[in-house]
Amino acid sequence: MLDLFTPYRLKGLELKNRVVMPPMCQYSVTAKDGIANDWHYTHYVSRAIGGAGLIIIEMTDVEPDGRISDYDLGLWSDEHIPALARIVEACHRHGAKVGIQIAHAGRKAEDAAVPVAPSAVPFDEKSKTPRALTTEEVNEMVEKFRNAVRRAVQAGVDTIELHGAHGYLIHQFHSPLTNKRDDEYGKDLTKFGVDVIRAAKSEMPADMPLIMRISAREYVEGGYGIEESVAFSKVYKAAGVDMFHVSAGGEGPIAAAGRPGTHVAYQVPLAREIKQQLDVPVIAVGRLDEPGLANAVIGNEDADLVAVGRAMLKNPYWTLNAAAELNKETAIPKQYQFGFPKK
């Protein structure tokens, strides 16, 4: 019987447990240069000490105007590599593996003077109207993703996650709501995502898995649902995605008719559907804060890994506490063992 503390392997990625710290923006690059600082080091390394099997570094952007805000991480320059490498190395020392989410905010780049997007469709009436990328610029954007992945590999990460969810650039291309183009990237809504996937894979070691985060359902009027996300995910899998991190929403203001659930585990059925339809490993996420619930998601084989977000913001040692609550064996730092007496 599988549980939250069963080791997991995907290609060359070996995890000591099934607990993932998902990417969560810290908006803490005070120098606005995209370089990780002491906050990021403490933030991620403390979760490694706290027992997480896989830590995925927050949305890290391929160009300055690809950031949600100027306080976000970047990988558009080799100058960004050393600070990330320091974080990765320290997390490794404490038994965690590290991924990084490579992204571009597209029309949701709040601090860009003029955001770019597949089409000139603003997020809402309060947002800046983005400029539609030319075909040549789209091709150049693929190369920016490629170079960011190359730098991430140089920094020593164990896996790459492409951000194709929450209304950011890759999502904007595969959504009919935001892609109104008449060139090759409009005729095939998956082409940009496929091109980015292939570019990423070309820079990754053969045994390094590629994860893609998707919104499996849009929560706006006329948005796509699980059938459509299964279809585009099949294309992305064929292009080289090894695992899907299944979330939902983020593409626009939430319509009253399509408001997402507020109950625990409300996105797990989406992850299970992608897993079953594609025969592919998945990460489930979304209100899975209770150890017993997270454990059940693994035990019921609804997902292969479980991402615990907000609960891990509140408690860096969530994983150690979960092991104690579930009476599972896990490595506890010797300095903290008095806090976790054996039953």
Side-chain angles (χ1 to χ4, degrees):
M1 175 69 75
L2 299 175
D3 63 54
L4 201 56
F5 290 88
T6 303
Y8 180 75
R9 178 169 185 165
L10 178 62
K11 300 178 76 171
L13 177 67
E14 296 186 40
L15 306 178
K16 63 183 180 181
N17 58 44
R18 307 293 181 105
V19 181
V20 178
M21 179 187 181
M24 293 175 284
C25 288
Q26 297 296 290
Y27 306 110
S28 295
V29 183
T30 51
K32 298 185 179 183
D33 55 6
I35 298 174
N37 55 33
D38 285 347
W39 173 265
H40 301 91
Y41 181 88
T42 302
H43 173 63
Y44 291 111
V45 177
S46 62
R47 274 70 186 178
I49 294 171
L54 175 62
I55 293 168
I56 305 178
I57 293 172
E58 67 202 79
M59 179 171 169
T60 302
D61 301 292
V62 302
E63 67 174 1
D65 281 349
R67 293 173 290 179
I68 301 170
S69 83
D70 287 348
Y71 296 95
D72 293 348
L73 292 178
L75 255 180
W76 61 80
S77 165
D78 288 354
E79 294 178 2
H80 297 108
I81 297 173
L84 289 172
R86 176 172 173 255
I87 292 171
V88 173
E89 181 182 2
C91 289
H92 284 168
R93 286 201 301 271
H94 296 290
K97 298 299 172 68
V98 184
I100 189 168
Q101 187 183 73
I102 305 298
H104 190 293
R107 68 176 185 167
K108 294 178 80 173
E110 297 172 4
D111 288 342
V114 182
V116 297
S119 303
V121 180
F123 180 74
D124 60 22
E125 65 278 359
K126 299 176 183 178
S127 303
K128 300 171 185 174
T129 298
R131 178 180 64 80
L133 291 160
T134 66
T135 304
E136 182 179 359
E137 286 174 327
V138 177
N139 293 329
E140 291 170 354
M141 189 67 72
V142 172
E143 292 307 304
K144 290 176 182 179
F145 272 87
R146 181 198 306 277
N147 288 325
V149 170
R150 173 180 56 78
R151 294 182 182 110
V153 171
Q154 286 182 243
V157 300
D158 304 287
T159 184
I160 299 290
E161 178 173 288
L162 296 176
H163 201 345
H166 301 162
Y168 299 117
L169 191 63
I170 294 175
H171 183 168
Q172 290 165 30
F173 269 92
H174 68 227
S175 174
L177 292 172
T178 44
N179 187 342
K180 309 294 185 182
R181 302 174 69 89
D182 55 12
D183 66 354
E184 57 187 339
Y185 289 101
K187 294 172 184 175
D188 177 359
L189 301 188
T190 64
K191 179 172 171 52
F192 179 68
V194 167
D195 286 356
V196 170
I197 291 163
R198 289 174 176 165
K201 296 289 277 195
S202 75
E203 298 293 340
M204 296 165 60
D207 66 343
M208 180 183 286
L210 177 65
I211 304 169
M212 189 173 206
R213 198 169 207 190
I214 61 165
S215 286
R217 179 183 172 189
E218 292 184 317
Y219 288 107
V220 294
E221 203 68 45
Y224 65 71
I226 187 65
E227 290 184 8
E228 291 84 358
S229 60
V230 164
F232 68 64
S233 295
K234 285 181 178 177
V235 176
Y236 291 156
K237 179 188 175 186
V241 172
D242 299 294
M243 169 179 268
F244 288 94
H245 190 169
V246 184
S247 188
E251 70 297 317
I254 298 170
R259 193 168 297 278
T262 55
H263 52 280
V264 297
Y266 73 98
Q267 293 181 148
V268 170
L270 299 173
R272 181 174 59 240
E273 189 72 11
I274 294 291
K275 178 178 173 66
Q276 293 176 347
Q277 290 284 339
L278 276 68
D279 189 25
V280 67
V282 299
I283 305 172
V285 66
R287 301 204 63 188
L288 301 175
D289 297 351
E290 293 299 323
L293 174 60
N295 193 52
V297 171
I298 299 299
N300 291 331
E301 299 187 38
D302 291 325
D304 301 270
L305 303 175
V306 170
V308 178
R310 288 176 176 83
M312 214 174 278
L313 289 180
K314 290 188 290 186
N315 180 7
Y317 312 107
W318 184 93
T319 310
L320 300 182
N321 286 321
E325 182 173 324
L326 297 169
N327 198 26
K328 301 294 182 182
E329 288 291 329
T330 193
I332 298 172
K334 64 180 182 181
Q335 298 90 337
Y336 291 170
Q337 286 176 2
F338 283 121
F340 296 89
K342 289 190 176 183
K343 295 179 181 178

